[in-house]
Amino acid sequence: MPTVPAAPAASAASVLDLAPVVPVVVVDDAADAVPLARALVAGGLPAIEVTLRTPAALDAIRAIAAEVPDAVVGAGTVISPANVADSVAAGARFLVSPGWTDALLVAMKGSGVPFLPGVSTTSEVVALLERGVSEMKFFPAEAAGGAAYLKSLAGPLPQARFCPTGGISPANAPSYLALKNVGCVGGSWMLPADAVAAKDWARVESLAREASGLV
């Protein structure tokens, strides 16, 4: 997997190593993107996954890439080669998918940026390892077996590393982060809907700081 391009305050060999938690962000209003990203970065969470679930997502990625230099902004819910191209053109510096196909994998490999294809079964993990990919998203983490499932994969498949996402909270995140095959977790609890609606970025920053200290 390609390395993450260097950023002034957020560089690492892998997106899995930038911070213990990657905020999974759904942006309804692109005007919120920059202050939201600044709050997350100030709280110690520089890797920000903006999901392609709303019409504002690509504009949000563009704004963060242009105006928050210390953020490493990525695109999530990437499910097609077109999503890959649009996300990278908007400034995404990593890509995350809930699952993968060969066509999507080819597009992500050709994008020039790091990517985390989604898996939920052992066979999917083996298939990706066979294709030279060792860093993955485990989704939906809690529904697919949780920390116990990932722990069981570490023995036969120690070369695979994961970012579990889906049902992750401050209560269960430490059990995932304690695993040797988990680099980080993805979640949105530091972005409560009422805080975003009220543009309470100080609260977002405070919750982000708590999340960044989970390890």
Side-chain angles (χ1 to χ4, degrees), residues 19-55:
V21 180
V22 175
V24 179
V25 181
V26 179
V27 178
D28 292 307
D29 183 350
D32 290 337
V34 168
L36 183 154
R38 286 175 176 158
L40 292 172
V41 171
L45 301 181
I48 301 169
E49 176 189 335
V50 177
T51 65
L52 302 183
R53 301 181 193 176
T54 68

Tab-separated table of all heavy atoms in Angstrom, residues 19-55:
chain	number	residue	atom	x	y	z
A	19	ALA	N	-3.180	8.154	13.946
A	19	ALA	CA	-3.842	8.424	15.220
A	19	ALA	C	-4.609	7.170	15.616
A	19	ALA	O	-4.934	6.345	14.757
A	19	ALA	CB	-4.805	9.614	15.090
A	20	PRO	N	-4.912	7.010	16.903
A	20	PRO	CA	-5.650	5.812	17.306
A	20	PRO	C	-7.072	5.751	16.766
A	20	PRO	O	-7.641	4.665	16.635
A	20	PRO	CB	-5.651	5.889	18.834
A	20	PRO	CG	-5.423	7.332	19.143
A	20	PRO	CD	-4.535	7.836	18.050
A	21	VAL	N	-7.632	6.917	16.445
A	21	VAL	CA	-9.011	6.979	15.957
A	21	VAL	C	-9.073	7.815	14.680
A	21	VAL	O	-8.495	8.909	14.627
A	21	VAL	CB	-9.964	7.578	17.010
A	21	VAL	CG1	-11.392	7.638	16.473
A	21	VAL	CG2	-9.924	6.771	18.305
A	22	VAL	N	-9.753	7.294	13.671
A	22	VAL	CA	-10.031	8.050	12.457
A	22	VAL	C	-11.501	8.465	12.513
A	22	VAL	O	-12.384	7.607	12.473
A	22	VAL	CB	-9.777	7.210	11.191
A	22	VAL	CG1	-10.200	7.977	9.938
A	22	VAL	CG2	-8.321	6.809	11.103
A	23	PRO	N	-11.786	9.755	12.637
A	23	PRO	CA	-13.182	10.201	12.645
A	23	PRO	C	-13.852	9.889	11.303
A	23	PRO	O	-13.290	10.171	10.243
A	23	PRO	CB	-13.082	11.710	12.857
A	23	PRO	CG	-11.728	11.929	13.445
A	23	PRO	CD	-10.859	10.877	12.849
A	24	VAL	N	-15.028	9.303	11.371
A	24	VAL	CA	-15.819	9.015	10.181
A	24	VAL	C	-16.888	10.093	10.094
A	24	VAL	O	-17.802	10.141	10.912
A	24	VAL	CB	-16.445	7.616	10.258
A	24	VAL	CG1	-17.293	7.344	9.013
A	24	VAL	CG2	-15.349	6.553	10.398
A	25	VAL	N	-16.735	10.970	9.102
A	25	VAL	CA	-17.499	12.219	9.049
A	25	VAL	C	-18.536	12.193	7.926
A	25	VAL	O	-18.202	11.894	6.780
A	25	VAL	CB	-16.545	13.417	8.841
A	25	VAL	CG1	-17.318	14.725	8.816
A	25	VAL	CG2	-15.469	13.437	9.919
A	26	VAL	N	-19.758	12.506	8.264
A	26	VAL	CA	-20.815	12.706	7.271
A	26	VAL	C	-21.116	14.202	7.242
A	26	VAL	O	-21.588	14.758	8.238
A	26	VAL	CB	-22.084	11.913	7.619
A	26	VAL	CG1	-23.171	12.163	6.569
A	26	VAL	CG2	-21.776	10.427	7.716
A	27	VAL	N	-20.816	14.857	6.131
A	27	VAL	CA	-20.974	16.307	6.027
A	27	VAL	C	-22.216	16.636	5.201
A	27	VAL	O	-22.306	16.287	4.032
A	27	VAL	CB	-19.740	16.962	5.378
A	27	VAL	CG1	-19.944	18.466	5.246
A	27	VAL	CG2	-18.487	16.663	6.195
A	28	ASP	N	-23.179	17.287	5.845
A	28	ASP	CA	-24.392	17.712	5.140
A	28	ASP	C	-24.247	19.104	4.551
A	28	ASP	O	-24.866	19.423	3.532
A	28	ASP	CB	-25.592	17.668	6.087
A	28	ASP	CG	-25.962	16.250	6.482
A	28	ASP	OD1	-26.143	15.415	5.572
A	28	ASP	OD2	-26.043	15.967	7.694
A	29	ASP	N	-23.439	19.935	5.193
A	29	ASP	CA	-23.224	21.313	4.754
A	29	ASP	C	-21.715	21.524	4.594
A	29	ASP	O	-20.972	21.479	5.573
A	29	ASP	CB	-23.801	22.279	5.780
A	29	ASP	CG	-23.681	23.741	5.358
A	29	ASP	OD1	-22.990	24.027	4.360
A	29	ASP	OD2	-24.267	24.600	6.047
A	30	ALA	N	-21.270	21.752	3.370
A	30	ALA	CA	-19.840	21.897	3.114
A	30	ALA	C	-19.228	23.045	3.911
A	30	ALA	O	-18.018	23.043	4.179
A	30	ALA	CB	-19.590	22.102	1.627
A	31	ALA	N	-20.043	24.027	4.306
A	31	ALA	CA	-19.533	25.150	5.094
A	31	ALA	C	-19.037	24.698	6.467
A	31	ALA	O	-18.251	25.401	7.108
A	31	ALA	CB	-20.616	26.212	5.247
A	32	ASP	N	-19.492	23.537	6.927
A	32	ASP	CA	-19.048	23.026	8.229
A	32	ASP	C	-17.704	22.308	8.139
A	32	ASP	O	-17.072	22.036	9.168
A	32	ASP	CB	-20.078	22.034	8.788
A	32	ASP	CG	-21.370	22.702	9.220
A	32	ASP	OD1	-21.347	23.914	9.504
A	32	ASP	OD2	-22.393	21.994	9.276
A	33	ALA	N	-17.268	21.979	6.943
A	33	ALA	CA	-16.121	21.089	6.784
A	33	ALA	C	-14.845	21.637	7.411
A	33	ALA	O	-14.146	20.925	8.142
A	33	ALA	CB	-15.892	20.798	5.307
A	34	VAL	N	-14.526	22.880	7.136
A	34	VAL	CA	-13.264	23.438	7.614
A	34	VAL	C	-13.244	23.597	9.133
A	34	VAL	O	-12.303	23.134	9.794
A	34	VAL	CB	-12.947	24.758	6.890
A	34	VAL	CG1	-11.805	25.499	7.586
A	34	VAL	CG2	-12.580	24.474	5.432
A	35	PRO	N	-14.253	24.246	9.756
A	35	PRO	CA	-14.198	24.345	11.216
A	35	PRO	C	-14.253	22.986	11.909
A	35	PRO	O	-13.609	22.780	12.943
A	35	PRO	CB	-15.409	25.207	11.573
A	35	PRO	CG	-16.308	25.151	10.387
A	35	PRO	CD	-15.406	24.986	9.208
A	36	LEU	N	-14.988	22.057	11.330
A	36	LEU	CA	-15.054	20.713	11.893
A	36	LEU	C	-13.681	20.046	11.837
A	36	LEU	O	-13.200	19.484	12.826
A	36	LEU	CB	-16.094	19.904	11.115
A	36	LEU	CG	-16.407	18.477	11.558
A	36	LEU	CD1	-17.821	18.094	11.128
A	36	LEU	CD2	-15.420	17.485	10.955
A	37	ALA	N	-13.036	20.133	10.686
A	37	ALA	CA	-11.712	19.525	10.532
A	37	ALA	C	-10.696	20.185	11.460
A	37	ALA	O	-9.850	19.501	12.057
A	37	ALA	CB	-11.255	19.631	9.083
A	38	ARG	N	-10.758	21.493	11.581
A	38	ARG	CA	-9.822	22.182	12.480
A	38	ARG	C	-10.004	21.727	13.918
A	38	ARG	O	-9.024	21.568	14.662
A	38	ARG	CB	-10.018	23.697	12.360
A	38	ARG	CG	-9.447	24.270	11.059
A	38	ARG	CD	-9.766	25.740	10.911
A	38	ARG	NE	-9.122	26.295	9.712
A	38	ARG	CZ	-9.525	27.402	9.091
A	38	ARG	NH1	-10.561	28.091	9.567
A	38	ARG	NH2	-8.875	27.826	8.012
A	39	ALA	N	-11.247	21.497	14.323
A	39	ALA	CA	-11.511	21.032	15.678
A	39	ALA	C	-10.952	19.630	15.897
A	39	ALA	O	-10.358	19.333	16.940
A	39	ALA	CB	-13.017	21.049	15.952
A	40	LEU	N	-11.124	18.764	14.913
A	40	LEU	CA	-10.604	17.402	15.031
A	40	LEU	C	-9.081	17.398	15.095
A	40	LEU	O	-8.488	16.683	15.918
A	40	LEU	CB	-11.089	16.555	13.855
A	40	LEU	CG	-12.592	16.254	13.813
A	40	LEU	CD1	-12.959	15.586	12.497
A	40	LEU	CD2	-13.007	15.384	14.998
A	41	VAL	N	-8.448	18.185	14.237
A	41	VAL	CA	-6.980	18.254	14.232
A	41	VAL	C	-6.476	18.820	15.552
A	41	VAL	O	-5.514	18.304	16.145
A	41	VAL	CB	-6.479	19.096	13.042
A	41	VAL	CG1	-4.978	19.355	13.167
A	41	VAL	CG2	-6.776	18.390	11.722
A	42	ALA	N	-7.129	19.857	16.035
A	42	ALA	CA	-6.716	20.462	17.309
A	42	ALA	C	-6.853	19.468	18.453
A	42	ALA	O	-6.095	19.517	19.428
A	42	ALA	CB	-7.554	21.704	17.592
A	43	GLY	N	-7.805	18.550	18.326
A	43	GLY	CA	-7.996	17.534	19.349
A	43	GLY	C	-7.081	16.330	19.197
A	43	GLY	O	-7.154	15.385	19.990
A	44	GLY	N	-6.232	16.336	18.173
A	44	GLY	CA	-5.262	15.263	18.010
A	44	GLY	C	-5.656	14.167	17.049
A	44	GLY	O	-5.044	13.097	17.045
A	45	LEU	N	-6.663	14.434	16.198
A	45	LEU	CA	-7.099	13.433	15.218
A	45	LEU	C	-6.926	14.001	13.808
A	45	LEU	O	-7.863	14.542	13.219
A	45	LEU	CB	-8.572	13.055	15.463
A	45	LEU	CG	-8.902	12.472	16.843
A	45	LEU	CD1	-10.392	12.134	16.923
A	45	LEU	CD2	-8.057	11.233	17.142
A	46	PRO	N	-5.733	13.888	13.235
A	46	PRO	CA	-5.466	14.502	11.933
A	46	PRO	C	-6.029	13.754	10.739
A	46	PRO	O	-6.282	14.353	9.690
A	46	PRO	CB	-3.939	14.541	11.867
A	46	PRO	CG	-3.517	13.377	12.716
A	46	PRO	CD	-4.521	13.323	13.840
A	47	ALA	N	-6.199	12.434	10.846
A	47	ALA	CA	-6.735	11.645	9.730
A	47	ALA	C	-8.257	11.700	9.775
A	47	ALA	O	-8.873	11.265	10.750
A	47	ALA	CB	-6.255	10.207	9.810
A	48	ILE	N	-8.859	12.256	8.743
A	48	ILE	CA	-10.306	12.501	8.736
A	48	ILE	C	-10.927	11.848	7.513
A	48	ILE	O	-10.575	12.178	6.377
A	48	ILE	CB	-10.602	14.017	8.721
A	48	ILE	CG1	-9.975	14.690	9.957
A	48	ILE	CG2	-12.101	14.277	8.667
A	48	ILE	CD1	-9.996	16.204	9.900
A	49	GLU	N	-11.832	10.912	7.736
A	49	GLU	CA	-12.513	10.226	6.646
A	49	GLU	C	-13.865	10.889	6.387
A	49	GLU	O	-14.776	10.800	7.209
A	49	GLU	CB	-12.721	8.749	6.997
A	49	GLU	CG	-13.515	7.972	5.956
A	49	GLU	CD	-13.900	6.581	6.417
A	49	GLU	OE1	-13.206	6.016	7.289
A	49	GLU	OE2	-14.905	6.044	5.906
A	50	VAL	N	-13.987	11.558	5.254
A	50	VAL	CA	-15.259	12.167	4.851
A	50	VAL	C	-15.985	11.163	3.959
A	50	VAL	O	-15.494	10.804	2.884
A	50	VAL	CB	-15.038	13.489	4.090
A	50	VAL	CG1	-16.374	14.059	3.626
A	50	VAL	CG2	-14.305	14.492	4.977
A	51	THR	N	-17.125	10.697	4.402
A	51	THR	CA	-17.824	9.665	3.650
A	51	THR	C	-18.578	10.260	2.467
A	51	THR	O	-19.143	11.349	2.556
A	51	THR	CB	-18.818	8.910	4.544
A	51	THR	OG1	-19.852	9.802	4.970
A	51	THR	CG2	-18.121	8.337	5.762
A	52	LEU	N	-18.603	9.508	1.374
A	52	LEU	CA	-19.295	9.968	0.167
A	52	LEU	C	-20.777	9.615	0.237
A	52	LEU	O	-21.331	8.972	-0.651
A	52	LEU	CB	-18.654	9.341	-1.067
A	52	LEU	CG	-17.162	9.599	-1.281
A	52	LEU	CD1	-16.700	8.966	-2.587
A	52	LEU	CD2	-16.854	11.096	-1.275
A	53	ARG	N	-21.419	10.043	1.311
A	53	ARG	CA	-22.828	9.711	1.526
A	53	ARG	C	-23.755	10.888	1.281
A	53	ARG	O	-24.983	10.736	1.329
A	53	ARG	CB	-23.042	9.202	2.959
A	53	ARG	CG	-22.234	7.978	3.318
A	53	ARG	CD	-22.538	7.537	4.739
A	53	ARG	NE	-21.562	6.559	5.224
A	53	ARG	CZ	-21.559	6.070	6.455
A	53	ARG	NH1	-22.483	6.470	7.326
A	53	ARG	NH2	-20.645	5.196	6.827
A	54	THR	N	-23.181	12.056	1.073
A	54	THR	CA	-23.998	13.253	0.879
A	54	THR	C	-23.495	14.032	-0.327
A	54	THR	O	-22.321	13.905	-0.720
A	54	THR	CB	-23.930	14.180	2.111
A	54	THR	OG1	-22.609	14.729	2.212
A	54	THR	CG2	-24.276	13.431	3.392
A	55	PRO	N	-24.344	14.881	-0.911
A	55	PRO	CA	-23.910	15.704	-2.040
A	55	PRO	C	-22.791	16.669	-1.683
A	55	PRO	O	-22.063	17.133	-2.566
A	55	PRO	CB	-25.192	16.459	-2.427
A	55	PRO	CG	-26.315	15.604	-1.937
A	55	PRO	CD	-25.806	14.992	-0.662
